[in-house]
Amino acid sequence: MSRRRLPLSLRRHAVPWERQRPTWREARPGLIAGALKRAQARPSGNWYVVGASRALRGDGKLARTVAGQEIVVWRGPDGRPVGGPGVCPHLGAPLRDSPVRCGTLVCHWHGLALDGEPYAGWSPLPVHDDGVLVWARLDAVGGEEPTAAPVVPARPEPARALTAVYTGVGVCEPEDVVANRLDPWHGAWLHPYSFVDLTVVDAPGDPADAADDGPDALTVDVSFKVAGRLVVPVRAVFTAPGPRTVVMRVTDGEGAGSVVETHATPLGTDGAGRPRTAVIEAVVAVSDRPGFTAARRAAPLLRPLVRAAAGRLWRDDLAYAERRRHLRSTGTFPG
């Protein structure tokens, strides 16, 4: 696939949705399950994605429940990201509702001030800001050998990219989100408003024969739908470098080098005891076309559009993940 002078292409042999080539024979349950099992066996170092780095600008903070544990993250007095339990050690106030002032988190119940250092029974957690996403390490939750930093997928430098982060929540577990992303065959069927002419051109063969020491790779040729018969064809590769992460990298066509990282963070259970998972997806887009510089300057206007597009896709994909979780929980999942 070569780069075109113009990013758009005209579909010359468009077919209605119901007449496109079925993909169910290729989307073998054993292949998807094998890729998922190997992803789950890869180490994470107990690191969990909490949210977007941009949320920590100024006196901003991130507050989230991860596997039932409340945590809060902000920037300390020296600008470094700091974080720890989201429960005030004094009388249990929810620190998610407390403001940050000049790098200090001030409890809104009685004024206990935290600057990220151990104090009054409050102990910090390891936190990492990779420039796009913020991670927290929860050793009691992960139960793995901890690492000094998370495994951050290779991505373009944020300074030369357009970045946007989408967050959604579903009634499912991280494995259901990862399984959804390791099934690219559903793309043109479940998302006809965005994807057409999707073909998986390379995938692991027999799941038992796939390598255990590296991420599986699923190579896909697909066209992003723009309007009518106008599309943007690309080649993309899906990999799962960790148990809760799937990366889609554009390797050929428009935007080559761009990355979409999907991270699944377990939140805990809802009132009915069902598991809830946050999907935190980072889009890091690049292009060497002259107009992309202007697009980066317009990032504040474009980010909401990128998040809206991701949200539309994830409405469908979370329904897929939730359905999978429901069938697993009732013992009726096929296979």
Side-chain angles (χ1 to χ4, degrees):
M1 185 184 301
S2 60
R3 176 182 145 120
R4 302 169 181 269
R5 188 171 63 86
L6 295 175
L8 299 179
S9 177
L10 184 67
R11 295 180 75 206
R12 300 187 181 279
H13 304 290
V15 297
W17 175 84
E18 68 275 8
R19 289 176 54 195
Q20 65 181 318
R21 184 179 59 83
T23 56
W24 65 272
R25 290 184 177 87
E26 300 166 40
R28 302 196 305 276
L31 189 156
I32 297 168
L36 172 63
K37 182 178 179 179
R38 290 186 293 277
Q40 291 176 311
R42 293 178 186 123
S44 72
N46 301 328
W47 289 94
Y48 296 81
V49 172
V50 180
S53 298
R54 295 180 62 84
L56 299 188
R57 290 190 168 187
D59 285 342
K61 69 177 184 298
L62 283 165
R64 191 172 297 285
T65 299
V66 178
Q69 294 193 17
E70 296 178 52
I71 64 172
V72 61
V73 179
W74 72 98
R75 293 199 183 279
D78 60 358
R80 294 183 302 106
V82 295
V87 179
C88 180
H90 175 226
L91 286 175
L95 295 178
R96 68 171 57 239
D97 299 328
S98 298
V100 176
R101 295 291 184 265
C102 299
T104 298
L105 181 69
V106 183
C107 177
H108 65 296
W109 277 16
H110 298 94
L112 189 150
L114 301 169
D115 63 4
E117 297 296 328
Y119 182 70
W122 186 91
S123 298
L125 293 168
V127 176
H128 180 82
D129 180 0
D130 66 28
V132 178
L133 297 170
V134 176
W135 309 62
R137 198 182 80 196
L138 285 81
D139 296 335
V141 171
E144 300 178 17
E145 184 70 25
T147 56
V151 178
V152 179
R155 60 166 82 116
E157 287 293 328
R160 66 181 186 89
L162 172 65
T163 64
V165 178
Y166 162 80
T167 300
V169 176
V171 179
C172 59
E173 296 183 275
E175 73 164 79
D176 301 303
V177 173
V178 174
N180 169 269
R181 301 303 282 159
L182 293 177
D183 169 20
W185 294 274
H186 75 263
W189 286 100
L190 191 57
H191 311 296
Y193 48 83
S194 288
F195 305 124
V196 292
D197 304 330
L198 187 150
T199 302
V200 177
V201 298
D202 189 31
D206 185 339
D209 295 335
D212 292 328
D213 57 354
D216 299 301
L218 291 156
T219 303
V220 176
D221 283 345
V222 63
S223 290
F224 293 93
K225 193 171 182 180
V226 178
R229 295 170 64 190
L230 289 175
V231 296
V232 178
V234 302
R235 172 163 288 185
V237 177
F238 290 78
T239 57
R244 295 177 295 276
T245 299
V246 178
V247 178
M248 185 200 79
R249 189 179 311 278
V250 178
T251 59
D252 201 0
E254 189 62 28
S258 299
V259 166
V260 178
E261 293 177 17
T262 304
H263 301 271
T265 299
L267 302 181
T269 56
D270 63 12
R274 302 175 303 175
R276 297 172 70 249
T277 294
V279 173
I280 304 173
E281 185 165 272
V283 178
V284 187
V286 292
S287 173
D288 58 2
R289 293 191 182 272
F292 188 70
T293 301
R296 283 198 298 110
R297 293 195 185 106
L301 299 176
L302 295 176
R303 284 192 187 97
L305 299 179
V306 175
R307 286 194 292 266
R312 186 180 186 187
L313 291 170
W314 275 107
R315 278 193 293 274
D316 293 336
D317 281 335
L318 277 174
Y320 174 128
E322 290 178 336
R323 175 68 174 176
R324 184 181 187 276
R325 198 283 314 177
H326 170 72
L327 293 177
R328 288 193 303 107
S329 69
T330 57
T332 55
F333 185 71

